[in-house]
Amino acid sequence: MAIEVITREDLNEFRSLLLNDLKEIIQSKPQQTKQWLKSNEVRKLLNISPGTLQNLRINGTLTYTKVGGIMYYDHSDIDKLLNGNKVNALPTLFK
């Protein structure tokens, strides 16, 4: 029976290969965002008060779904809201 000796160099090589594999896995897998957010998550995301969120619902700016007394907001609707209200910077200000 042959005895195999593992050296520090072998362990360092294994470590670097393992880290490279993990980096590839992390980079190839896009981060999943939750599709449906609760009111408190939307308020934290947009940094708004409960009253402001209620106003967005009432005036139809932000759509929602109500299930059993809990309101859910589609993440893509929030993205559309943010992109739809985007204001372009005036390039002439910094000449």
Side-chain angles (χ1 to χ4, degrees):
M1 180 169 152
I3 297 175
E4 203 170 318
V5 178
I6 298 175
T7 63
R8 285 184 188 252
E9 290 81 23
D10 293 335
L11 290 174
N12 282 330
E13 183 180 347
F14 174 73
R15 179 181 151 272
S16 64
L17 290 172
L18 182 62
L19 286 173
N20 287 335
D21 289 345
L22 288 173
K23 285 179 186 176
E24 287 179 21
I25 290 170
I26 291 170
Q27 289 174 352
S28 67
K29 194 176 198 180
Q31 287 187 336
Q32 300 270 336
T33 56
K34 290 173 61 174
Q35 181 179 359
W36 295 100
L37 302 173
K38 292 183 180 179
S39 294
N40 63 338
E41 295 169 320
V42 174
R43 288 190 289 114
K44 286 180 185 175
L45 180 66
L46 298 178
N47 195 25
I48 58 175
S49 68
T52 302
L53 184 56
Q54 182 177 4
N55 286 334
L56 292 174
R57 282 194 313 266
I58 289 171
N59 65 24
T61 304
L62 187 58
T63 59
Y64 65 96
T65 302
K66 188 173 182 179
V67 179
I70 300 174
M71 288 180 239
Y72 295 94
Y73 304 84
D74 193 342
H75 200 284
S76 63
D77 289 341
I78 296 169
D79 288 338
K80 287 177 192 173
L81 173 67
L82 292 173
N83 287 323
N85 290 306
K86 189 184 294 187
V87 177
N88 291 326
L90 298 174
T92 57
L93 290 176
F94 301 106
K95 281 188 176 182

